[in-house]
């Protein structure tokens, strides 16, 4: 059993799980826990400083969660961790502390089960995790990409479109009750069916207010065309721009999955005033894990906002094998979704990651005052030279664009 800050229970330090779980690192749930178990306290402290940074010159502080939340985590076997990001004290503004949560989870039953049973089982599985967030007084909660279903877009089979639902459909109604119950804003990324426009399917995040109302939606801006990410078989690029939702607790935005690979996507949410940007994702280790701890953290630094990164967990096996167009044999699974959900702050600090193979709830207190403090410190907005880049992009979009390349006249060019 893990404590609320993710450390092993007394007497369990340094001991890998008896059975090595798929996705673990030699039996450990994360790199952070591996290091904690195998380094001396002094070395671990220094390694943490290098890997996680310092928040206002100090290591992140763990938050002690209420017994109700930790009991739910123990009963339902999900990882729960909680940390606090601070800000410098100001003379003219009071602290603006908001408690934010991320949920990562695996599917609940095999993909061969009836679709209605799959969806119901996932809802039943995440309900206790949402309840733990509610018991912990979380103000804003974000779920993972396409949370109501397996990430079946690798298969190219159109029957998985049956999981698509209207914005005000079953999953939204399920979460509206919980949002109202816990006075919580909930971001729900789903497969949307736009019934007013020819039943077009979109990859959409529904933002539900703390009163249970639907504040608005955002549709995924960038669609991958790499590996088994055959998402353009189901939906295309979104048409909602870069909306920022002003909630009771702060200004939030949603950069869905593949959009994290596009710096301008992150930039646009920042230009529109986001204080927290969520990145609900579904990504596998072989393809993207080296990027995972870098991209969101860099976005938080460059745009002076917080980022919440969420990835599902587990290996999802589908009924029919499929190929990737890379000459490799057909296979029936996408690979291992490695979880590792975490928060990144504008001052370059970040939390440890949740488990690589278990469901989890990451909670963070964050003082939103730090967003402006970092803008003042680094002056990125003042020094960004947007006019220069706007001019370059404008020229680049023209059919007769020519790159600005100055060649060495002494190079002998081959004919």
């Amino acid at each position: 059993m893990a404590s609320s800050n993710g450390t092993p229970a007394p007497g369990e330090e340094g001991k890998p799980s008896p059975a090595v779980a798929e996705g673990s690192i030699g039996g450990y749930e994360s790199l952070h826990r591996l290091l904690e178990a195998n380094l001396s306290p002094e070395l671990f402290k220094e390694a943490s400083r290098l890997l996680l940074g310092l928040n206002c010159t100090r290591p992140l502080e763990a938050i002690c969660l209420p017994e109700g939340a930790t009991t739910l985590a123990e009963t339902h076997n999900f990882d729960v961790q909680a940390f606090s990001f601070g800000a410098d004290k100001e003379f003219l503004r009071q602290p603006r502390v908001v408690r934010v949560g991320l949920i990562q989870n695996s599917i609940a039953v095999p993909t061969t089960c009836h679709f209605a049973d799959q969806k119901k089982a996932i809802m039943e599985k995440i309900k206790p995790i949402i309840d733990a967030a509610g018991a912990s007084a979380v103000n804003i909660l974000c779920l993972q990409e396409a949370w109501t279903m397996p990430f079946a877009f690798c298969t190219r089979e159109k029957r998985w479109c049956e999981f698509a639902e209207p914005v005000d459909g079953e999953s939204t109604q399920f979460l509206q009750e919980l949002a109202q119950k816990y006075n919580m804003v909930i971001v729900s990324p789903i497969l949307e069916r736009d019934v007013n426009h020819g039943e077009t399917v979109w990859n959409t995040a529904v933002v539900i207010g703390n009163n249970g109302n639907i504040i608005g939606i955002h549709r995924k801006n960038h669609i991958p065309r790499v590996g088994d990410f055959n998402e353009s078989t189901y939906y295309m690029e979104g048409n909602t721009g870069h909306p920022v939702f002003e909630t009771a607790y702060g200004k939030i935005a949603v950069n869905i999955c593949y959009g994290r690979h596009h710096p301008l996507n992150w930039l646009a949410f920042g230009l529109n005033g986001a204080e927290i940007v969520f990145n609900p994702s579904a990504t596998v280790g072989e393809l993207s894990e080296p990027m995972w701890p870098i991209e969101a953290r860099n976005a938080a630094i460059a745009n002076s906002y917080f980022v919440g990164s969420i990835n599902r967990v587990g290996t999802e096996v589908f009924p029919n094998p499929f190929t990737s167009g890379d000459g490799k044999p057909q296979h029936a699974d996408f690979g291992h979704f490695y979880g590792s959900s975490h928060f990144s702050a504008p001052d370059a600090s970040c939390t440890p990651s949740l488990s690589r193979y278990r469901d989890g709830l990451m909670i963070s207190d964050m003082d939103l005052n730090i967003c402006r403090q970092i803008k003042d410190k680094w002056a990125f907005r003042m020094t960004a030279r947007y006019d220069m880049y706007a001019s370059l992009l404008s020229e680049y979009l023209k059919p007769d664009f020519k790159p600005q390349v100055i060649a060495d006249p002494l190079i002998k060019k081959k004919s």
Side-chain angles (χ1 to χ4, degrees), residues 396-410:
Y396 179 75
L397 292 173
K398 296 177 181 178
D400 60 349
F401 170 76
K402 294 182 180 179
Q404 184 183 4
V405 177
I406 300 174
D408 183 344
L410 299 181

Side-chain angles (χ1 to χ4, degrees), residues 79-366:
D79 186 14
V80 59
Q81 300 183 43
F83 300 91
S84 177
F85 292 101
D88 291 333
K89 184 179 180 180
E90 298 187 15
F91 292 103
L92 301 180
R93 289 195 304 174
Q94 293 299 312
R96 297 177 58 220
V97 179
V98 59
R99 180 163 287 190
V100 186
L102 312 173
I103 290 179
Q104 66 177 40
N105 61 275
S106 60
I107 58 175
V109 296
T111 61
T112 51
C113 291
H114 192 286
F115 285 3
D117 293 336
Q118 291 188 51
K119 191 172 186 178
K120 180 182 178 182
I122 291 174
M123 287 183 175
E124 290 176 348
K125 188 179 196 189
I126 73 160
K127 171 71 164 51
I129 311 179
I130 297 176
D131 288 337
S136 303
V138 165
N139 303 126
I140 307 173
L141 181 68
C142 187
L143 281 61
Q144 67 195 24
E145 182 183 21
W147 70 270
T148 63
M149 61 181 292
F151 205 73
F153 311 120
C154 51
T155 68
R156 299 190 294 274
E157 296 173 350
K158 288 303 185 75
R159 65 196 186 102
W160 300 100
C161 289
E162 290 190 48
F163 279 95
E165 58 182 288
V167 167
D168 59 354
E170 180 184 9
S171 66
T172 298
Q173 293 171 27
F174 166 72
L175 293 175
Q176 282 178 302
E177 292 184 8
L178 293 167
Q180 196 166 22
K181 176 180 179 180
Y182 292 119
N183 195 30
M184 180 192 297
V185 173
I186 301 180
V187 179
S188 172
I190 63 169
L191 193 63
E192 176 202 352
R193 187 174 294 282
D194 186 357
V195 295
N196 293 327
H197 295 89
E199 303 210 6
T200 302
V201 174
W202 304 94
N203 187 319
T204 301
V206 182
V207 180
I208 301 168
N210 58 305
N211 293 305
N213 56 306
I214 298 174
I215 299 176
I217 65 169
H218 173 57
R219 292 168 174 158
K220 187 172 181 175
N221 278 333
H222 298 275
I223 308 301
R225 289 161 177 83
V226 57
D228 284 329
F229 287 89
N230 298 309
E231 296 173 53
S232 57
T233 302
Y234 301 86
Y235 44 80
M236 296 301 289
E237 287 77 12
N239 59 1
T240 52
H242 296 84
V244 169
F245 303 94
E246 187 168 7
T247 74
Y249 306 113
K251 295 180 179 179
I252 66 173
V254 192
N255 182 358
I256 303 174
C257 197
Y258 188 71
R260 73 181 179 278
H261 304 308
H262 296 270
L264 291 179
N265 205 37
W266 291 111
L267 171 66
F269 292 118
L271 294 180
N272 281 330
E275 296 170 310
I276 307 167
V277 179
F278 296 101
N279 179 225
S281 302
T283 188
V284 291
E286 182 179 356
L287 185 66
S288 70
E289 193 162 13
M291 306 176 185
W292 183 249
I294 298 171
E295 289 174 307
R297 194 173 182 182
N298 183 67
I301 297 166
N303 297 286
S304 304
Y305 51 51
F306 288 92
V307 174
S309 303
I310 313 122
N311 185 28
R312 64 176 58 206
V313 290
T315 301
E316 301 171 356
V317 180
F318 295 96
N320 302 313
F322 50 89
T323 59
S324 306
D326 57 3
K328 294 181 180 179
Q330 64 179 5
H331 44 283
D333 68 85
F334 205 154
H336 180 75
F337 296 102
Y338 53 82
S340 304
S341 303
H342 63 281
F343 283 109
S344 304
D347 67 350
S349 61
C350 66
T351 67
S353 297
L354 286 176
S355 173
R356 298 184 80 258
Y357 61 87
R358 280 202 300 154
D359 297 350
L361 170 64
M362 175 64 77
I363 294 174
S364 173
D365 284 351
M366 45 186 71

